[in-house]
Amino acid sequence: KKSILLIGYTQFSSVVSDKCNNHICMESRKLLLEGPGLLILDEGHFPRNKDTKILDSLIQVHTRKRILLSGTLFQNNFEELFNLLKLVRPDFMLSNPSWIPATENTALSKVNCKKQSR
């Protein structure tokens, strides 16, 4: 059965990242992380900062199809652009290349840490 869910970034990250103890919360979290076949991110520039709970939550979604929509131009900030590339294409880079400055500050380090903890 196919369905569409529209949810804001704040609500999504709240459900996904908060520790929940009840059955409804755990099932909602599982559905949001494992259910989507396609993830469309409107205002896609919003989760570009590595320090946000929103980026951490979106990285956890198990889907290979991701679309990022944004009407906002990106500044000359390599770290933010790299974070969005990793969000949309998790297999973009699987290891920390030496030519990327400060890779510990990017989404790549968060993805690698999550893979290692599984």
Side-chain angles (χ1 to χ4, degrees):
K1 189 175 185 182
K2 296 182 181 184
S3 61
I4 296 174
L5 172 67
L6 300 175
I7 188 170
Y9 288 120
T10 305
Q11 182 67 34
F12 177 84
S13 67
S14 176
V15 172
V16 170
S17 64
D18 290 345
K19 303 295 182 213
C20 49
N21 297 326
N22 64 51
H23 179 70
I24 294 172
C25 182
M26 291 179 358
E27 285 298 315
S28 297
R29 183 177 194 276
K30 182 179 177 182
L31 181 65
L32 287 173
L33 292 178
E34 298 174 9
L38 172 64
L39 184 64
I40 300 175
L41 304 169
D42 192 17
E43 298 295 329
H45 58 277
F46 191 69
R48 69 183 177 253
N49 186 328
K50 68 168 178 65
D51 294 324
T52 64
K53 197 164 76 166
I54 294 168
L55 180 62
D56 287 341
S57 301
L58 290 169
I59 285 174
Q60 296 178 53
V61 177
H62 302 284
T63 184
R64 305 245 338 129
K65 298 176 186 172
R66 299 167 188 235
I67 299 172
L68 187 137
L69 306 172
S70 180
T72 301
L73 296 175
F74 294 98
Q75 301 299 319
N76 291 331
N77 188 320
F78 181 79
E79 183 180 325
E80 290 179 353
L81 178 61
F82 186 80
N83 288 336
L84 292 176
L85 285 172
K86 283 303 294 180
L87 176 60
V88 175
R89 298 293 305 245
D91 294 334
F92 170 63
M93 285 188 189
L94 297 176
S95 62
N96 291 350
S98 59
W99 54 268
I100 295 181
T103 53
E104 67 276 357
N105 295 328
T106 62
L108 179 61
S109 61
K110 293 182 179 210
V111 170
N112 287 338
C113 287
K114 290 189 187 315
K115 285 181 180 179
Q116 290 171 2
S117 65
R118 289 183 189 167

